[in-house]
Amino acid sequence: MPTRIFVTGVTGYLGGTALAQLLQAFPDAIYSALVRTNEQAAAITSAHPAVKPVIGDMSSSSSEAVTAAAKAADIVIDIAGDNEAGIRHILAALASKPEKGTLIHVSGITCLLDPANLNLGHAAPRVYSDEKDKAEIVSLGPEREHVVLDQSIMRAPEETGVKTVILSSCQIMGNGTGSWKKESFGHGFVKTILGRGKGFVVEKGGNVWSWCCVRDVASSIVFVLGKILNESRGISYGKDGYYFVQTGEVSFREQAQAVATKLNQLGKLETDAIDELTVAKATEIHPYAGLLWGASCRSRADRLKAMGWVPKETDWRALMDETVVSALDSCV
């Protein structure tokens, strides 16, 4: 019998990219996908006729559509962000089945940010390995982003019998390939520089982020699903099923300089010089400027790479260039 897969977040930047790759990798599976509106449903159907759109809302406290779709699925792939209500519905639905289902949830490495010691504009001194530091990572305090939801997902195998895997992504670069949203953080930064007329960093811009191309993050979802479908002994669940997704590292100053240089080359900026803004000055541009452009998160995807996942797009400058061109096109 074909595997039934329910995917959330398919109108998003990563979710749309992942859905296309999933359909290509596992064409015999039966797919349903969560959308919010009839317009989004039509877009998904037009791009992927084999996918059944389900109209609902992950953030709703009582989403019958999400519950029904999850209960009908063997595997749920959640790419919709931190939606605690939706995850509760999904886990309960999967647990109610005679043969418990499986959840793959995409989270993020901002759990590594210590809110009491952000040191904005500077590189975090520590790089976390999901192999060497796994016990610490899965036990981080509830004051950190993603932690409360992620830990509830990690407890699910023991509490309900539902198998769970968490893929924790870093900064995602490049253009999405989905049928709806194709832009994200990097595109917003390019547009901010365009609006300001000059590149900038927070403080000295020494803050370092781990990064991965959006197409490679999507491929990690495909990779893990393949391991699950093949019942591979290499895949783990629950507290042992937490995996970073990462290609390399880059400082924010390097990114800002790459954007300014490309925009200058294209005649969109008068100079490729960049300003060093205090956190207070940067906050005049965006209320969360310190975190957006000044924080530092560093991860290493040792476990996933040891299992055989290999990121294919390893040139961050090329990804920034494509991001700049796409952002300019969307401004026309």
Side-chain angles (χ1 to χ4, degrees):
M1 184 176 178
T3 302
R4 297 164 297 178
I5 301 172
F6 175 45
V7 189
T8 72
V10 296
T11 56
Y13 168 65
L14 172 60
T17 304
L19 179 61
Q21 289 194 20
L22 288 164
L23 287 160
Q24 184 175 10
F26 308 105
D28 296 330
I30 298 172
Y31 292 90
S32 58
L34 185 67
V35 296
R36 285 193 177 95
T37 67
N38 288 324
E39 184 182 8
Q40 291 175 340
I44 294 298
T45 299
S46 176
H48 309 295
V51 177
K52 176 185 176 183
V54 175
I55 297 178
D57 188 348
M58 277 285 287
S59 62
S60 173
S61 60
S62 58
S63 179
E64 295 179 2
V66 172
T67 298
K71 190 170 184 178
D74 302 304
I75 297 171
V76 176
I77 303 176
D78 175 45
I79 320 175
D82 284 11
N83 284 286
E84 293 187 25
I87 289 296
R88 284 198 303 270
H89 295 312
I90 287 169
L91 288 175
L94 292 173
S96 71
K97 299 157 60 72
E99 294 185 4
K100 311 296 187 183
T102 300
L103 170 65
I104 300 172
H105 171 71
V106 178
S107 186
I109 65 167
T110 48
C111 62
L112 303 179
L113 284 174
D114 180 358
N117 187 29
L118 293 173
N119 201 19
L120 300 175
H122 300 274
R126 183 174 176 187
V127 182
Y128 285 82
S129 161
D130 58 2
E131 178 63 47
K132 180 172 63 73
D133 303 310
K134 178 165 65 72
E136 181 180 354
I137 294 164
V138 301
S139 303
L140 291 168
E143 74 281 359
R144 302 201 183 198
E145 190 173 13
H146 304 305
V147 165
V148 172
L149 179 60
D150 284 359
Q151 289 183 356
S152 71
I153 292 170
M154 286 186 274
R155 291 193 301 267
E158 295 179 5
E159 295 178 351
T160 68
V162 175
K163 294 179 179 179
T164 60
V165 174
I166 294 176
L167 293 173
S168 186
S169 181
C170 49
Q171 180 185 341
I172 306 179
M173 292 184 167
N175 299 332
T177 60
S179 58
W180 196 258
K181 183 180 179 183
K182 303 179 190 297
E183 298 185 352
S184 190
F185 168 83
H187 301 79
F189 181 59
V190 173
K191 292 175 183 180
T192 301
I193 288 179
L194 281 168
R196 184 174 182 271
K198 192 177 181 183
F200 68 93
V201 294
V202 175
E203 302 297 342
K204 295 293 185 180
N207 45 307
V208 173
W209 273 86
S210 298
W211 67 270
C212 190
C213 174
V214 62
R215 278 95 62 181
D216 282 328
V217 180
S219 80
S220 75
I221 298 170
V222 171
F223 177 83
V224 166
L225 178 59
K227 292 290 185 183
I228 293 170
L229 294 177
N230 292 329
E231 299 182 350
S232 169
R233 293 182 179 179
I235 192 74
S236 299
Y237 301 98
K239 292 181 179 180
D240 290 324
Y242 187 97
Y243 301 89
F244 285 146
V245 182
Q246 167 264 346
T247 299
E249 284 194 333
V250 61
S251 73
F252 199 76
R253 189 178 195 93
E254 289 175 298
Q255 293 184 62
Q257 188 63 69
V259 171
T261 298
K262 185 67 173 179
L263 288 172
N264 176 249
Q265 290 171 349
L266 294 172
K268 301 300 181 180
L269 291 182
E270 292 183 0
T271 176
D272 65 354
I274 55 177
D275 291 330
E276 297 175 351
L277 304 182
T278 64
V279 174
K281 280 293 184 182
T283 302
E284 294 175 6
I285 301 173
H286 192 287
Y288 301 111
L291 288 173
L292 279 175
W293 304 316
S296 178
C297 276
R298 307 174 72 182
S299 61
R300 199 168 63 228
D302 291 332
R303 301 184 67 209
L304 211 57
K305 291 175 182 177
M307 290 167 57
W309 173 74
V310 179
K312 295 179 179 179
E313 302 193 49
T314 58
D315 184 347
W316 68 265
R317 292 183 186 277
L319 294 171
M320 291 305 297
D321 282 352
E322 78 171 47
T323 298
V324 169
V325 172
S326 175
L328 286 172
D329 287 345
S330 68
C331 290
V332 175

